[in-house]
Amino acid sequence: MHARLPNNAGSVLIAAISGRALAAAARRAGYRPLVADFFCDTDTVALAERATMLPGDLQGGIDGERIIETLRQLAGDDQPVAIVLGSGFERMTETVDEIARHFPLAGNSGAAIRRIKDPQLLATDCAELGIPHPEFQWDPPPDPENWVVKTAGGAGGAHIRRAAGETPILQCQAPGGRYFQRFVAGRSISALFVGDGQSADIVGFSQQWASPAPAAPYRYGGAVRLRRFDRRRAAMIRGWLSGLARRAGLVGLCSADLIRGPDGYKLIEINPRPGATLDIFDDADAPLIEAHLRAAAGKKFRLPRFVDSMASMVTYAAAPIARFPSIAWPEWTADHQSPGTRLIAGDPVCTIFARGPSADLTRRLIKGQASRLQHQWEGDRT
């Protein structure tokens, strides 16, 4: 995952829970990334022109009251080409609008995010556009074993639970509330796409998998880029996403989560920002950050083409680690934990990458790499 050295194309402000992937993508496109995130880990700092801690924390979220001043200090005397927002802002649409008043925002407005992340509006739009979408309701269902419960505006899978066995949840129609969606069995497929406010162009498809934890059965595990995808189905899904992009005014890099079941595809939700699969789809010859910036500005953009498969996988601590050991990280890793850090069970340790001729082979390869690497820190469990 080597990044291109900076040139004189200008700086890009990046704010996200984790900004490493966006910083790497900006470097590949020749920009100087200025990064604010929750970790400031070693590889993010190495990629960034400057890096600072994003105000807030993982438990309470981003501190919207302090973010503007943080970004101003990070920008300094630079005049950024744009600001790109990653994860963490889906439930902070007023903050997104406030950021856009101070910096040139490349990405979706607060209004677009509110519309596409509102489960009731998404269900209505899907019904009107003829897009298969799981049944949704605010009230606890009488057959909870057939439903999942989610947080409106949530991201990453950690907020999703099976409705059966959950403590009773009060009906809540406020933004950021909990809602119920009928469970759909099948393969989890993601489509990375670029919106221009009127249509959607698909970058590619990936298959995703979960890394279940006791309190988070749908926690994100990883994704593998699919080398081939049925053209007819791809055109159908592109039509769905174009309809939603037009309704919500979606611009720039976004992703769609779908389930392929026995009766075909169902669209589960839209993530209106660059997401977890950015690493496995980015390309130095057709950088996706450039496509994101150009699409957000209403300009023509170019997308990469792929002849192989690539995968990324998040590894988590299976048990507490009192002091994380010093590791000689292989070049096919990123998002490294710093030596001496205390971790609790479930904390992310690093991201692993692999490349191969097919999706199945690449997925087997990355899981083998993860198993070998994990032995280097498992000996330090307490």
Side-chain angles (χ1 to χ4, degrees), residues 47-187:
L47 285 162
E49 184 85 359
R50 292 191 295 278
T52 191
M53 296 293 287
L54 194 64
D57 54 52
L58 285 172
Q59 288 71 39
I62 298 165
D63 185 342
E65 294 184 358
R66 292 193 290 145
I67 191 168
I68 299 299
E69 184 57 32
T70 298
L71 294 173
R72 279 180 176 155
Q73 291 179 7
L74 178 61
D77 294 331
D78 268 297
Q79 296 294 322
V81 172
I83 183 166
V84 178
L85 302 179
S87 58
F89 292 91
E90 289 87 351
R91 302 178 69 191
M92 302 180 64
T93 55
E94 294 83 1
T95 301
V96 171
D97 290 334
E98 180 66 16
I99 289 170
R101 285 190 278 271
H102 294 272
F103 303 96
L105 176 66
N108 286 299
S109 66
I113 298 170
R114 277 192 295 276
R115 182 178 186 108
I116 209 69
K117 296 305 287 184
D118 183 313
Q120 191 160 1
L121 286 176
L122 178 61
T124 299
D125 284 342
C126 285
E128 293 177 356
L129 292 167
I131 301 170
H133 180 67
E135 186 181 351
F136 143 85
Q137 63 183 57
W138 293 109
D139 295 317
D143 56 339
E145 66 276 5
N146 296 317
W147 296 72
V148 293
V149 59
K150 298 182 172 183
T151 300
H159 65 101
I160 305 171
R161 307 280 191 277
R162 293 301 292 261
E166 284 285 301
T167 53
I169 299 170
L170 296 175
Q171 177 180 352
C172 179
Q173 299 191 35
R178 302 279 270 175
Y179 68 97
F180 297 88
Q181 190 177 76
R182 187 173 286 280
F183 176 75
V184 180
R187 292 178 65 192

Side-chain angles (χ1 to χ4, degrees), residues 14 43 79 94 112 126 168 178 196 216 250 345 358:
I14 294 166
D43 40 348
Q79 296 294 322
E94 294 83 1
C126 285
R178 302 279 270 175
D196 64 3
L250 296 175
S358 70

Side-chain angles (χ1 to χ4, degrees), residues 271-356:
N271 300 302
R273 56 171 174 80
T277 60
L278 176 60
D279 283 315
I280 63 174
F281 282 102
D282 201 14
D283 182 79
D285 293 329
L288 287 178
I289 279 290
E290 192 65 40
H292 179 78
L293 297 176
R294 293 184 68 83
K299 299 177 181 178
K300 292 183 178 180
F301 53 88
R302 190 163 59 97
L303 296 180
R305 296 179 181 275
F306 309 103
V307 296
D308 62 359
S309 186
M310 186 174 178
S312 65
M313 178 178 174
V314 179
T315 61
Y316 298 93
I321 300 174
R323 289 180 58 83
F324 193 80
S326 179
I327 288 177
W329 293 103
E331 65 174 7
W332 37 265
T333 60
D335 303 316
H336 305 141
Q337 277 290 350
S338 300
T341 304
R342 180 178 178 82
L343 303 182
I344 62 172
D347 278 346
V349 174
C350 69
T351 303
I352 298 174
F353 304 102
R355 193 183 293 269

